[in-house]
Coordinates of all heavy atoms in Angstrom, one line a residue:
L648 N 3.0 -20.3 -3.2 CA 2.8 -19.3 -2.2 C 3.5 -18.0 -2.5 O 4.7 -18.2 -2.8 CB 3.2 -19.8 -0.8 CG 2.9 -19.0 0.4 CD1 2.4 -19.7 1.6 CD2 4.1 -18.1 0.7
P681 N -1.7 -9.4 9.4 CA -3.1 -8.9 9.5 C -3.4 -7.6 8.9 O -4.5 -7.4 8.5 CB -3.1 -8.8 11.1 CG -2.1 -9.7 11.6 CD -1.0 -9.7 10.6
S738 N 14.5 -9.1 6.1 CA 15.1 -10.4 5.7 C 14.0 -11.4 5.4 O 13.0 -11.5 6.2 CB 16.0 -10.9 6.9 OG 16.4 -12.2 6.6
A830 N -16.2 13.0 -10.3 CA -17.2 13.8 -9.6 C -16.9 14.4 -8.3 O -17.5 15.3 -7.9 CB -18.4 12.8 -9.5
V854 N -9.5 21.1 2.6 CA -10.8 20.6 2.2 C -11.7 21.9 2.0 O -12.5 22.0 1.0 CB -11.4 19.8 3.3 CG1 -13.0 19.6 3.1 CG2 -10.8 18.4 3.4
T890 N -15.6 -0.7 3.9 CA -14.7 -1.8 3.8 C -13.5 -1.3 2.9 O -13.6 -0.3 2.3 CB -15.2 -3.1 3.3 OG1 -15.6 -2.9 1.9 CG2 -16.5 -3.5 4.0

Side-chain angles (χ1 to χ4, degrees):
L648 180 141
S738 172
V854 166
T890 65

